[in-house]
Amino acid sequence: MSDSIDQSATRIPVGDDYDVLVGHGLISGADADARLGGLLGEAVERVLLVHPPTIDALTQRLTAALERRGLTVVTEEVPDAEAAKTAEVAARLWGRLGREGFTRTDAVVGLGGGSVTDLAGFVAATWLRGVAVVQVPTTLLGMVDAAVGGKTGINTAEGKNLVGAFHPPAGVLCDLDVLATLPPADLTAGLAEVVKCGFIADPVVLDLVEANPAGLCGPDAATHPSLRELVERAVRVKAEVVAADLRESSLREILNYGHTFGHAVEQVERYSWRHGEAVSVGMVYVAELARLAGHLTGAEGDALVARHHGILESLRLPTRYDGGRWPELLTAMRRDKKSRGSQLRFVVLDGPARPARLTGPGDDLLERAYALVSG
């Protein structure tokens, strides 16, 4: 890492509950143990470190930092991606916690992408009715979305994240250096969640992306001069929303922009699509739906729909989903967590950074919007 890179951490508070630290060298730096210790607190003696099989070097580095703090570290490797988020894997981790004698003053650390942090948070939420968890996301998606906010969960055959709990972490550590080892396609997929924050709350994000989209999805994306600002802006959007509405009773729903259709695509495709890729198509779908439903009107509305296509396509993210799967997608959407009874609910836009809700649109309207993104 170049000495010219600022290694100081930006501290972003999530209300009065916990902080998200964003910066360079937060895991490998000389003060990594102090940062982790500060997030975990003094009472913790044992840590369950949950990690995927693909980041051995990072796992060893984090284990060493925790041990320098005087903690006993128990490591558990879990499957990569969505395969980690099952009841079977969670039960295995509960068994390990029991055998190791973890108490309410001990903690879980999730090191990995969004699937690992979702799983680690859920296991922490349910062990002894709740122990501390610190999240150390290693993907862009994890940093700006999954690890922040306290939503934890696992999947079932019927849908994504249908089993879960709200369990805010004790802290989140976002070391931007780890993004240099991320496959370019994964980093690009994470940008979909960043762009989402731009559409729902912070249009400066959109301006930053439009200024140099090629650099953000190229081989040097991890060192792009705007990446840190994009991460910090996206985290601030989520932090402000979560602080105002932890349990998704009202405002927090806006963070699901593009997710109802996106989650349906993930389920129908058996999670072979990256989450960000599915959300990318989901945002275009819901923009088209908003226009059909009268939320986006006139030249201004047309321009905002076109901006969805333009930004996402400039990042080489998908904006279309092949036709022929509409009945399956509709069934999957009806099982979405945001549904109320038989009514589907969508987050839509009335304009840039003006989110609204569309409740109970007719099936014909939903299918017309699908026709605009299929083919």
Side-chain angles (χ1 to χ4, degrees):
M1 184 181 66
S2 169
D3 292 338
S4 64
I5 294 179
D6 180 11
Q7 296 189 41
S8 62
T10 300
R11 188 176 296 269
I12 301 172
V14 183
D16 296 324
D17 295 327
Y18 60 96
D19 292 328
V20 180
L21 304 183
V22 181
H24 293 274
L26 304 189
I27 296 176
S28 58
D31 54 355
D33 55 338
R35 282 201 176 96
L36 286 163
L39 296 176
L40 287 165
E42 296 297 326
V44 174
E45 296 179 357
R46 284 172 294 250
V47 168
L48 176 70
L49 176 56
V50 183
H51 65 94
T54 51
I55 53 172
D56 286 346
L58 279 177
T59 300
Q60 293 169 14
R61 203 175 303 157
L62 196 63
T63 299
L66 291 165
E67 289 177 340
R68 287 198 304 272
R69 191 72 181 179
L71 298 168
T72 298
V73 183
V74 177
T75 61
E76 273 287 338
E77 182 180 294
V78 298
D80 202 13
E82 295 294 329
K85 293 175 57 174
T86 68
E88 292 75 16
V89 175
R92 172 161 62 84
L93 299 186
W94 290 324
R96 187 69 187 275
L97 289 169
R99 290 191 299 275
E100 299 289 343
F102 271 59
T103 71
R104 283 184 174 172
T105 56
D106 296 318
V108 176
V109 172
L111 174 69
S115 295
V116 172
T117 59
D118 279 356
L119 171 70
F122 179 67
V123 168
T126 48
W127 182 251
L128 300 176
R129 296 188 176 90
V131 298
V133 62
V134 167
Q135 304 288 21
V136 187
T138 60
T139 65
L140 181 57
L141 174 63
M143 291 179 186
V144 301
D145 184 42
V148 180
K151 283 173 70 173
T152 74
I154 56 175
N155 304 330
T156 69
E158 291 70 35
K160 184 169 181 176
N161 296 330
L162 293 180
V163 177
F166 291 99
H167 187 62
V172 181
L173 200 64
C174 300
D175 187 340
L176 300 174
D177 287 348
V178 305
L179 298 179
T181 63
L182 198 65
D186 288 336
L187 195 147
T188 300
L191 286 169
E193 290 285 357
V194 176
V195 169
K196 176 201 75 178
C197 292
F199 280 123
I200 64 171
D202 185 0
V204 173
V205 166
L206 306 179
D207 297 336
L208 288 168
V209 172
E210 286 171 324
N212 184 11
L216 283 166
C217 56
D220 299 321
T223 58
H224 189 285
S226 295
L227 186 61
R228 179 166 180 168
E229 182 178 356
L230 286 168
V231 170
E232 291 177 1
R233 283 183 174 275
V235 169
R236 282 195 177 94
V237 167
K238 186 155 191 180
E240 290 172 6
V241 171
V242 167
D245 178 18
L246 171 63
R247 296 184 178 274
E248 202 173 65
S249 60
S250 55
L251 177 64
R252 186 165 176 163
E253 278 191 327
I254 71 172
L255 297 172
N256 292 314
Y257 186 65
H259 282 58
T260 299
F261 187 84
H263 281 169
V265 169
E266 287 183 275
Q267 185 183 341
V268 167
E269 292 297 330
R270 300 181 182 274
Y271 304 107
S272 62
W273 277 49
R274 292 176 176 85
H275 174 72
E277 293 169 342
V279 168
S280 176
V281 179
M283 285 189 283
V284 175
Y285 173 82
V286 83
E288 297 285 8
L289 181 63
R291 180 160 56 178
L292 290 173
H295 281 265
L296 294 177
T297 59
E300 205 172 273
D302 291 343
L304 188 56
V305 174
R307 198 176 190 190
H308 280 69
H309 284 271
I311 289 176
L312 295 167
E313 288 167 8
S314 74
L315 293 172
R316 303 173 196 166
L317 285 164
T319 56
R320 302 184 70 79
Y321 179 73
D322 287 341
R325 309 295 293 275
W326 175 242
E328 297 165 79
L329 290 167
L330 184 58
T331 297
M333 285 195 291
R334 292 201 184 284
R335 287 196 289 258
D336 188 81
K337 303 184 300 302
K338 294 168 288 301
S339 297
R340 299 292 186 271
S342 61
Q343 285 194 322
L344 273 171
R345 289 158 59 92
F346 292 86
V347 178
V348 295
L349 295 178
D350 286 337
R354 292 170 54 202
R357 290 164 185 79
L358 175 62
T359 301
D363 287 1
D364 59 333
L365 198 68
L366 296 173
E367 190 167 3
R368 284 170 60 197
Y370 172 66
L372 294 172
V373 301
S374 66

